[in-house]
Coordinates of all heavy atoms in Angstrom, one line a residue:
E1 N 0.6 4.3 8.8 CA 1.2 4.3 7.5 C 0.3 4.7 6.4 O 0.7 5.5 5.5 CB 1.8 2.9 7.2 CG 2.9 2.5 8.1 CD 3.3 1.0 8.0 OE1 2.7 0.3 7.3 OE2 4.2 0.6 8.8
F2 N -1.0 4.3 6.4 CA -1.9 4.8 5.5 C -2.2 6.3 5.6 O -2.2 7.0 4.6 CB -3.3 4.0 5.6 CG -4.2 4.2 4.4 CD1 -4.1 3.4 3.3 CD2 -5.2 5.2 4.5 CE1 -5.0 3.6 2.2 CE2 -6.0 5.4 3.4 CZ -5.9 4.6 2.3
D3 N -2.3 6.7 6.8 CA -2.4 8.2 7.1 C -1.2 9.0 6.5 O -1.4 10.1 6.0 CB -2.6 8.5 8.6 CG -4.0 8.0 9.1 OD1 -4.9 7.8 8.3 OD2 -4.1 7.9 10.3
E4 N 0.0 8.4 6.7 CA 1.2 9.1 6.2 C 1.1 9.2 4.7 O 1.4 10.2 4.1 CB 2.4 8.3 6.6 CG 3.7 8.9 6.0 CD 4.9 8.0 6.3 OE1 4.9 7.3 7.3 OE2 5.9 8.1 5.5
M5 N 0.6 8.1 4.0 CA 0.5 8.2 2.6 C -0.6 9.2 2.2 O -0.4 9.9 1.2 CB 0.1 6.8 2.0 CG 0.0 6.8 0.5 SD -0.6 5.4 -0.2 CE -2.2 5.2 0.5
L6 N -1.6 9.4 2.9 CA -2.6 10.4 2.6 C -2.0 11.8 2.7 O -2.3 12.6 1.8 CB -3.8 10.3 3.6 CG -4.8 9.2 3.6 CD1 -5.8 9.2 4.7 CD2 -5.5 9.1 2.2
V7 N -1.2 12.0 3.6 CA -0.5 13.3 3.8 C 0.5 13.6 2.7 O 0.6 14.6 2.1 CB 0.0 13.5 5.2 CG1 0.9 14.8 5.3 CG2 -1.1 13.5 6.2
R8 N 1.4 12.6 2.6 CA 2.6 12.8 1.7 C 2.3 12.5 0.2 O 3.0 12.9 -0.7 CB 3.7 11.9 2.2 CG 4.3 12.3 3.5 CD 5.5 11.5 3.9 NE 6.5 11.5 2.9 CZ 7.3 10.5 2.5 NH1 7.1 9.3 3.1 NH2 8.2 10.6 1.6
G9 N 1.2 11.7 0.0 CA 0.9 11.3 -1.3 C 1.6 10.1 -1.9 O 1.4 9.6 -3.0
I10 N 2.6 9.6 -1.1 CA 3.4 8.4 -1.5 C 4.0 7.7 -0.3 O 4.2 8.4 0.7 CB 4.5 8.9 -2.5 CG1 5.1 7.7 -3.2 CG2 5.5 9.7 -1.8 CD1 5.9 8.0 -4.4
R11 N 4.2 6.4 -0.4 CA 4.8 5.7 0.7 C 5.3 4.4 0.1 O 4.7 3.8 -0.9 CB 3.8 5.3 1.8 CG 4.5 4.7 3.0 CD 3.6 4.7 4.2 NE 4.3 4.6 5.4 CZ 5.2 3.7 5.7 NH1 5.7 2.9 4.9 NH2 5.7 3.7 6.9
H12 N 6.4 3.9 0.6 CA 6.9 2.6 0.2 C 7.5 1.9 1.4 O 7.9 2.5 2.4 CB 8.0 2.7 -0.9 CG 9.2 3.4 -0.5 ND1 9.3 4.7 -0.3 CD2 10.4 2.9 -0.3 CE1 10.5 5.1 0.1 NE2 11.2 4.0 0.1
G13 N 7.5 0.6 1.4 CA 8.1 -0.2 2.5 C 7.6 -1.6 2.4 O 7.4 -2.2 1.4
T14 N 7.5 -2.2 3.6 CA 7.0 -3.5 3.7 C 5.8 -3.6 4.6 O 5.6 -2.7 5.5 CB 8.1 -4.5 4.3 OG1 8.4 -4.0 5.6 CG2 9.3 -4.5 3.4
A15 N 4.9 -4.6 4.4 CA 3.8 -4.8 5.2 C 3.6 -6.3 5.4 O 3.9 -7.0 4.5 CB 2.5 -4.1 4.6
V16 N 3.0 -6.7 6.5 CA 2.7 -8.1 6.6 C 1.2 -8.2 6.4 O 0.3 -7.6 7.0 CB 3.0 -8.6 8.1 CG1 2.5 -10.0 8.3 CG2 4.5 -8.4 8.3
L17 N 0.8 -9.0 5.4 CA -0.5 -9.3 5.0 C -1.0 -10.6 5.5 O -0.3 -11.6 5.5 CB -0.7 -9.2 3.5 CG -0.2 -8.0 2.7 CD1 -0.5 -8.1 1.3 CD2 -0.8 -6.7 3.3
T18 N -2.3 -10.6 5.9 CA -2.9 -11.9 6.4 C -3.7 -12.5 5.3 O -4.6 -11.8 4.7 CB -3.8 -11.6 7.6 OG1 -2.9 -11.0 8.6 CG2 -4.4 -12.9 8.2
R19 N -3.4 -13.7 4.9 CA -4.2 -14.4 3.9 C -5.5 -14.9 4.6 O -5.6 -15.0 5.8 CB -3.4 -15.6 3.4 CG -2.2 -15.2 2.6 CD -1.4 -16.5 2.2 NE -0.4 -16.1 1.2 CZ 0.9 -16.6 1.3 NH1 1.3 -17.4 2.2 NH2 1.7 -16.3 0.3
K20 N -6.4 -15.4 3.7 CA -7.7 -15.9 4.2 C -7.5 -17.0 5.1 O -8.3 -17.2 6.1 CB -8.6 -16.3 3.0 CG -10.0 -16.7 3.4 CD -10.8 -16.9 2.1 CE -12.2 -17.3 2.6 NZ -13.1 -17.5 1.4
D21 N -6.5 -17.9 4.9 CA -6.3 -19.1 5.8 C -5.6 -18.7 7.1 O -5.3 -19.6 7.9 CB -5.6 -20.2 5.0 CG -4.1 -19.8 4.7 OD1 -3.6 -18.7 5.1 OD2 -3.5 -20.6 4.0
G22 N -5.3 -17.4 7.3 CA -4.7 -17.0 8.6 C -3.2 -16.9 8.5 O -2.6 -16.4 9.4
T23 N -2.6 -17.5 7.5 CA -1.1 -17.3 7.4 C -0.8 -15.9 7.0 O -1.6 -15.2 6.5 CB -0.5 -18.3 6.4 OG1 -1.1 -18.1 5.1 CG2 -0.8 -19.8 6.8
T24 N 0.4 -15.5 7.2 CA 0.9 -14.2 6.8 C 2.0 -14.2 5.8 O 2.7 -15.3 5.6 CB 1.4 -13.4 8.0 OG1 2.5 -14.1 8.6 CG2 0.2 -13.2 9.0
V25 N 2.1 -13.1 5.1 CA 3.2 -13.0 4.0 C 3.7 -11.6 4.0 O 2.9 -10.6 4.3 CB 2.6 -13.5 2.7 CG1 1.5 -12.6 2.2 CG2 3.7 -13.5 1.6
E26 N 4.9 -11.4 3.8 CA 5.5 -10.1 3.7 C 5.4 -9.5 2.3 O 5.6 -10.2 1.3 CB 7.0 -10.1 4.1 CG 7.6 -8.7 4.2 CD 9.0 -8.7 4.7 OE1 9.7 -9.7 4.4 OE2 9.4 -7.8 5.3
L27 N 4.9 -8.3 2.2 CA 4.7 -7.6 0.9 C 5.7 -6.4 0.9 O 5.7 -5.6 1.8 CB 3.3 -7.1 0.8 CG 2.9 -6.3 -0.4 CD1 2.7 -7.3 -1.6 CD2 1.7 -5.4 -0.2
F28 N 6.4 -6.3 -0.2 CA 7.2 -5.1 -0.5 C 6.3 -4.2 -1.4 O 5.9 -4.7 -2.5 CB 8.5 -5.5 -1.2 CG 9.3 -6.4 -0.3 CD1 9.2 -7.8 -0.4 CD2 10.2 -5.9 0.6 CE1 10.0 -8.6 0.3 CE2 11.0 -6.7 1.4 CZ 10.8 -8.1 1.2
Y29 N 6.1 -3.0 -1.1 CA 5.1 -2.2 -1.8 C 5.6 -0.8 -2.1 O 6.4 -0.2 -1.4 CB 3.7 -2.2 -1.1 CG 3.7 -1.3 0.1 CD1 3.4 0.0 0.1 CD2 4.1 -1.9 1.3 CE1 3.4 0.8 1.2 CE2 4.1 -1.1 2.5 CZ 3.8 0.2 2.4 OH 3.8 1.0 3.5
R30 N 4.9 -0.2 -3.0 CA 5.0 1.3 -3.3 C 3.6 1.7 -3.5 O 2.9 1.1 -4.3 CB 5.9 1.6 -4.5 CG 6.0 3.1 -4.7 CD 7.1 3.3 -5.8 NE 7.3 4.7 -6.0 CZ 8.2 5.4 -5.3 NH1 9.0 4.8 -4.4 NH2 8.4 6.7 -5.5
A31 N 3.2 2.7 -2.8 CA 1.8 3.2 -2.9 C 1.8 4.7 -3.1 O 2.7 5.4 -2.6 CB 1.0 2.9 -1.6
S32 N 0.9 5.2 -3.9 CA 0.8 6.6 -4.1 C -0.7 7.0 -4.4 O -1.5 6.2 -4.8 CB 1.7 7.1 -5.2 OG 1.3 6.6 -6.4
S33 N -0.9 8.3 -4.3 CA -2.2 8.8 -4.6 C -2.3 9.1 -6.1 O -1.3 9.3 -6.8 CB -2.5 10.1 -3.8 OG -1.5 11.1 -4.2
T34 N -3.5 9.0 -6.6 CA -3.8 9.3 -8.0 C -5.2 9.9 -8.1 O -6.0 9.8 -7.1 CB -3.7 8.1 -8.9 OG1 -3.7 8.5 -10.3 CG2 -4.7 7.0 -8.6
T35 N -5.6 10.5 -9.2 CA -6.9 11.1 -9.3 C -7.5 10.5 -10.6 O -6.9 10.5 -11.7 CB -6.8 12.6 -9.4 OG1 -6.2 13.1 -8.3 CG2 -8.2 13.2 -9.6
V36 N -8.7 10.0 -10.5 CA -9.4 9.4 -11.6 C -10.8 10.1 -11.6 O -11.5 10.0 -10.6 CB -9.6 7.9 -11.5 CG1 -10.4 7.3 -12.7 CG2 -8.2 7.2 -11.5
A37 N -11.2 10.7 -12.7 CA -12.4 11.4 -12.9 C -12.7 12.4 -11.7 O -13.8 12.5 -11.2 CB -13.6 10.4 -13.0
G38 N -11.6 13.0 -11.3 CA -11.7 14.0 -10.2 C -11.8 13.4 -8.8 O -11.9 14.2 -7.9
L39 N -11.7 12.1 -8.7 CA -11.8 11.5 -7.3 C -10.4 11.0 -6.9 O -9.6 10.5 -7.8 CB -12.7 10.3 -7.4 CG -14.2 10.7 -7.7 CD1 -15.0 9.4 -7.9 CD2 -14.8 11.6 -6.7
A40 N -10.1 11.1 -5.7 CA -8.8 10.7 -5.1 C -8.8 9.2 -4.8 O -9.8 8.7 -4.2 CB -8.4 11.5 -3.9
F41 N -7.8 8.5 -5.3 CA -7.6 7.1 -5.0 C -6.2 6.8 -4.6 O -5.3 7.7 -4.9 CB -8.0 6.2 -6.2 CG -9.5 6.3 -6.5 CD1 -9.9 7.0 -7.7 CD2 -10.5 5.7 -5.7 CE1 -11.2 7.1 -8.0 CE2 -11.8 5.8 -6.0 CZ -12.2 6.5 -7.2
F42 N -5.9 5.7 -4.1 CA -4.6 5.3 -3.6 C -4.2 3.9 -4.2 O -5.0 3.0 -3.9 CB -4.5 5.4 -2.1 CG -4.9 6.7 -1.6 CD1 -6.2 7.0 -1.3 CD2 -4.0 7.7 -1.5 CE1 -6.6 8.3 -0.9 CE2 -4.3 9.0 -1.2 CZ -5.6 9.3 -0.8
V43 N -3.2 3.9 -5.0 CA -2.8 2.7 -5.7 C -1.6 2.1 -5.0 O -0.6 2.8 -4.8 CB -2.5 3.0 -7.2 CG1 -2.0 1.7 -7.9 CG2 -3.7 3.6 -7.8
S44 N -1.6 0.8 -4.7 CA -0.5 0.1 -4.1 C -0.1 -1.0 -5.0 O -1.0 -1.8 -5.4 CB -0.8 -0.4 -2.7 OG 0.2 -1.1 -2.2
I45 N 1.2 -1.1 -5.4 CA 1.7 -2.2 -6.1 C 2.7 -2.9 -5.3 O 3.6 -2.3 -4.8 CB 2.2 -1.8 -7.5 CG1 1.1 -1.1 -8.3 CG2 2.9 -2.9 -8.2 CD1 1.6 -0.5 -9.6
G46 N 2.6 -4.2 -5.1 CA 3.5 -4.9 -4.2 C 3.9 -6.3 -4.8 O 3.4 -6.8 -5.7
F47 N 5.0 -6.7 -4.1 CA 5.6 -8.0 -4.5 C 5.8 -8.8 -3.2 O 6.2 -8.3 -2.2 CB 7.0 -7.8 -5.2 CG 6.8 -7.0 -6.4 CD1 7.0 -5.6 -6.4 CD2 6.5 -7.6 -7.6 CE1 6.8 -4.8 -7.5 CE2 6.3 -6.8 -8.8 CZ 6.5 -5.4 -8.7
L48 N 5.5 -10.1 -3.3 CA 5.6 -10.9 -2.1 C 7.0 -11.3 -1.8 O 7.8 -11.5 -2.7 CB 4.8 -12.2 -2.3 CG 3.3 -12.0 -2.5 CD1 2.6 -13.3 -2.8 CD2 2.6 -11.3 -1.3

């Protein structure tokens, strides 16, 4: 999924995240590429 975002520049969906205590939570997210000071970064904003 991360590789897909690298290629397409955008991705949205759900992911299961693991908390420090080992429990998991579902994240609804939208991620996209951006450029800051000429460098490529990937920003993801999500909701639990």
Side-chain angles (χ1 to χ4, degrees):
E1 291 167 0
F2 192 87
D3 288 343
E4 179 187 333
M5 185 188 54
L6 288 176
V7 171
R8 293 184 57 219
I10 193 164
R11 188 166 202 311
H12 65 288
T14 60
V16 176
L17 304 185
T18 303
R19 293 177 168 136
K20 185 175 181 175
D21 67 7
T23 61
T24 59
V25 64
E26 186 175 32
L27 178 78
F28 301 91
Y29 72 91
R30 182 170 185 90
S32 67
S33 61
T34 190
T35 303
V36 178
L39 301 172
F41 296 108
F42 303 89
V43 178
S44 176
I45 298 176
F47 302 93
L48 298 178

